[in-house]
Amino acid sequence: MKPILSTEEVVRLEDIIERQGTSKAELMEHAGEFVATLALGYEPHEVVVLAGFGNNGGDGWVAADILQQRGIHVVVVTPVEPNEIPSALARHVARRTAGREVTVVVGPSRDELAELMEKADVVIDSILGTGFHGAVRPPFSIWIPTVNELAKHVISVDVPSGLDAQTGVVEDCCIRADKTATMIAPKIGLYSADGPSYVGELVCGELYDNLDEVIDDVDHAAEIVQAGDLVEFMEPLPANVNKYSRGSVLIVAGSARYPGAAMMAAKAAARAGAGYVAVAAPDACANLIRMALPSVPVIAIPSDSRGSFGAAARSVVCEIAPKYDCVLCGPGMTTAAGCMQVVSGLLELDIPLILDADALNCLARLAIDGIDKTPELYRREAPLILTPHHRELSRLVGDAPVDDLGTAIDAAQRIVWAVGSDNLIVVAKGATTAIVGVEKVLIPMSGPASLATAGSGDVLAGILAGAVATSHGEVDHWELLASYAVAIHSYTGFAAAAEYGERSVIATDLIDLIGEAMQLVENEACKDLGISADQGDE
């Protein structure tokens, strides 16, 4: 796994590295060299470097110096003369570079800048760094739209200028980079809110040879999960396996209004590896589910007048639930009174439980001013996995704003820290999904925009239930198991987009691609670990 840092954590890490004997000046030289190497990959004849006032601009000045020495014509655009740059370190490298053969253009007009953009093969954006937040001011508010309109290839240094490196928010304008060369470790804002729309390809320059020895001396905002980290969940089936030993799942879901959610979750759980999947659904829709899923037993549960779980549902569901390795509750269930009783009853049982969709809304209704204020509602010994999207997560924490990765992590941590159990995981779903445990925040591979379709979350819940069931509770880190399920779901999105087109994917397309997605994750894991897929099978 690779760490993702907050802006404060980056500052602390740089201070630690300096105390270890590598100065910030040396880090700037390494950063400039890394950026120059990326620029050389485009085989440019002319490069324009846009340099700001701070150390981010200093990285650009170093890159300009290196590229000029490689025989490339370089123009550095700066808002002030090199001698007037306020950062002492950046001022030093700017003076050095300007004293050589690099062309320096100070405070160009919009037309002059546009002419430079049209000539350049590569533009290096080192205008605004990780300390930036708020609205972009002149002249950079003129530079950035010009770059976006005219530049052929753009490399941003550390963070695209205009993007808040902590929140990922863009207030007005921001560089749209082809590549973002982030330094030491990725910043949380590159994955949050507007970040993924502007970053392009993200590459990281570690800059310091002994980074692995000091990176854990600071907290990590999150960690990136790579396929190789998930290899423990890719064991082949033993020869003596049977449908029960593969793992069993009970899907408590559906209603007369939303029977399809239960169907999708159940089929996804089976495709994800569970050997025995059953559905407990209101009797108002049980026959419909039976006809759609002939291989899945359906248990008809007493329903109310609207076709949701009725008053007698709690006792029936809680009697059968302990027979299964995992229970998934919520898809298409509604928030009727009987459903709320089912949720509260399942929380009292000693079985791995996943609460999704309306089960989460039921849980939110059971609490006053957020479930984290009444942790006894969901405190339990057995594993509990909550899978809210942003609106559901907001309801769970008393309607606190949740609209990006950062606020989602904060809200999820409120929930898990209130209980403090290693067996409680929040899968905070979004464009970038965060797996939040009491000690770790993991960021698995994100799927494509094609996953933003109704029912996609039901498929993910089913995949997660299948993964939990096949594990039989023998899991050291539930965050990693959830990351495995999210990675499979992401790969179904890529496979479905390739087959149907990004705009045409519907949730049911994903289910029959789960097997292919599992193989793709395994292939990627083998690649990460430096072994062939055939060796992985062995």
Side-chain angles (χ1 to χ4, degrees):
M1 286 178 280
K2 292 187 176 181
I4 301 172
L5 303 185
S6 69
T7 53
E8 291 182 0
E9 289 161 357
V10 171
V11 171
R12 288 199 292 272
L13 183 57
E14 288 177 345
D15 290 341
I16 291 170
I17 291 172
E18 188 167 36
R19 289 198 296 272
Q20 294 290 324
T22 299
S23 68
K24 289 183 173 64
E26 289 177 271
L27 291 178
M28 182 175 287
E29 296 293 334
H30 294 322
E33 184 177 0
F34 180 63
V35 173
T37 300
L38 292 179
L40 288 169
Y42 288 104
E43 299 182 353
H45 298 288
E46 178 142 347
V47 172
V48 171
V49 176
L50 303 176
F53 294 108
N55 287 348
N56 189 262
D59 297 342
W61 282 100
V62 173
D65 193 5
I66 293 170
L67 289 169
Q68 185 70 38
Q69 293 178 47
R70 296 289 187 92
I72 295 163
H73 183 245
V74 181
V75 177
V76 178
V77 178
T78 171
V80 295
E81 295 286 350
N83 287 332
E84 298 172 356
I85 293 173
S87 164
L89 187 53
R91 184 168 64 248
H92 167 72
V93 296
R95 285 172 174 168
R96 182 189 68 193
T97 302
R100 296 174 180 169
E101 296 182 4
V102 170
T103 302
V104 178
V105 176
V106 180
S109 67
R110 196 274 179 193
D111 289 343
E112 291 170 330
L113 184 63
E115 185 177 348
L116 292 172
M117 293 296 102
E118 290 173 343
K119 292 179 181 178
D121 301 303
V122 175
V123 174
I124 294 174
D125 155 38
S126 60
I127 304 172
L128 302 168
T130 56
F132 168 81
H133 58 87
V136 179
R137 293 179 292 184
F140 306 137
S141 58
I142 299 170
W143 291 12
I144 290 172
T146 307
V147 172
N148 288 341
E149 180 183 350
L150 298 172
K152 296 181 181 69
H153 300 289
V154 181
I155 300 171
S156 286
V157 179
D158 226 4
V159 59
S161 293
L163 181 74
D164 188 314
Q166 181 63 30
T167 66
V169 169
V170 172
E171 280 203 13
D172 45 14
C173 61
C174 181
I175 292 287
R176 290 192 180 275
D178 295 292
K179 292 184 179 181
T180 296
T182 197
M183 304 302 170
I184 299 180
K187 285 68 183 175
I188 189 70
L190 301 177
Y191 299 88
S192 181
D194 303 308
S197 298
Y198 291 90
V199 166
E201 179 187 354
L202 182 62
V203 288
C204 185
E206 295 187 349
L207 307 188
Y208 178 61
D209 289 339
N210 299 320
L211 185 62
D212 290 344
E213 298 176 9
V214 297
I215 192 73
D216 290 332
D217 290 346
V218 299
D219 292 332
H220 301 166
E223 292 179 87
I224 301 169
V225 180
Q226 298 172 295
D229 299 319
L230 306 172
V231 70
E232 66 185 273
F233 307 112
M234 302 174 192
E235 292 292 327
L237 291 174
N240 62 346
V241 72
N242 61 55
K243 63 183 177 183
Y244 300 110
S245 62
R246 282 182 65 175
S248 58
V249 174
L250 178 65
I251 308 291
V252 182
S255 60
R257 188 175 181 184
Y258 304 114
M263 299 175 193
M264 288 188 288
K267 192 173 181 181
R271 288 289 190 204
Y276 189 92
V277 178
V279 174
D283 52 22
C285 64
N287 279 336
L288 184 60
I289 298 173
R290 285 191 187 103
M291 289 187 289
L293 299 174
S295 64
V296 173
V298 179
I299 304 160
I301 307 296
S303 61
D304 63 14
S305 60
R306 296 186 177 182
S308 297
F309 288 114
R314 172 178 171 143
S315 61
V316 178
V317 170
C318 290
E319 181 180 351
I320 62 176
K323 300 175 183 178
Y324 295 84
D325 293 307
C326 175
V327 175
L328 163 61
C329 178
M333 190 172 71
T334 81
T335 56
C339 300
M340 295 177 67
Q341 289 301 310
V342 167
V343 171
S344 62
L346 287 172
L347 283 166
E348 295 174 4
L349 299 180
D350 187 27
I351 50 172
L353 177 63
I354 301 168
L355 297 184
D356 180 61
D358 277 331
L360 296 168
N361 295 326
C362 288
L363 182 59
R365 288 189 175 197
L366 289 168
I368 298 174
D369 197 27
I371 66 171
D372 56 308
K373 303 295 178 59
T374 52
E376 62 273 10
L377 276 174
Y378 60 103
R379 181 181 285 119
R380 62 205 303 270
E381 292 298 323
L384 174 62
I385 301 176
L386 310 180
T387 61
H389 57 56
H390 287 178
R391 287 196 300 276
E392 292 162 346
L393 184 52
S394 175
R395 294 183 196 115
L396 289 171
V397 291
D399 294 321
V402 178
D403 45 28
D404 55 46
L405 178 62
T407 53
I409 291 173
D410 289 344
Q413 286 177 328
R414 282 174 56 180
I415 293 170
V416 298
W417 288 346
V419 170
S421 169
D422 290 339
N423 285 346
L424 172 60
I425 302 299
V426 177
V427 180
K429 298 182 295 191
T432 300
T433 294
I435 313 296
V436 181
V438 71
E439 292 184 353
K440 287 181 177 292
V441 177
L442 302 185
I443 306 293
M445 189 191 72
S446 297
S450 57
L451 289 175
T453 185
S456 176
D458 302 322
V459 176
L460 172 58
I463 294 171
L464 183 55
V468 171
T470 57
S471 75
H472 298 287
E474 297 175 2
V475 177
D476 292 329
H477 302 289
W478 288 98
E479 299 97 330
L480 268 183
L481 179 70
S483 297
Y484 175 61
V486 171
I488 292 170
H489 185 245
S490 295
Y491 272 106
T492 65
F494 287 114
E499 185 165 345
Y500 300 106
E502 186 178 60
R503 296 178 183 273
S504 299
V505 173
I506 58 176
T508 50
D509 297 332
L510 306 173
I511 298 170
D512 290 336
L513 293 168
I514 290 173
E516 180 179 339
M518 293 171 80
Q519 186 60 55
L520 289 170
V521 175
E522 184 172 340
N523 292 346
E524 192 65 26
C526 290
K527 181 179 176 182
D528 284 352
L529 298 173
I531 59 177
S532 70
D534 290 341
Q535 286 177 290
D537 292 338
E538 294 171 6

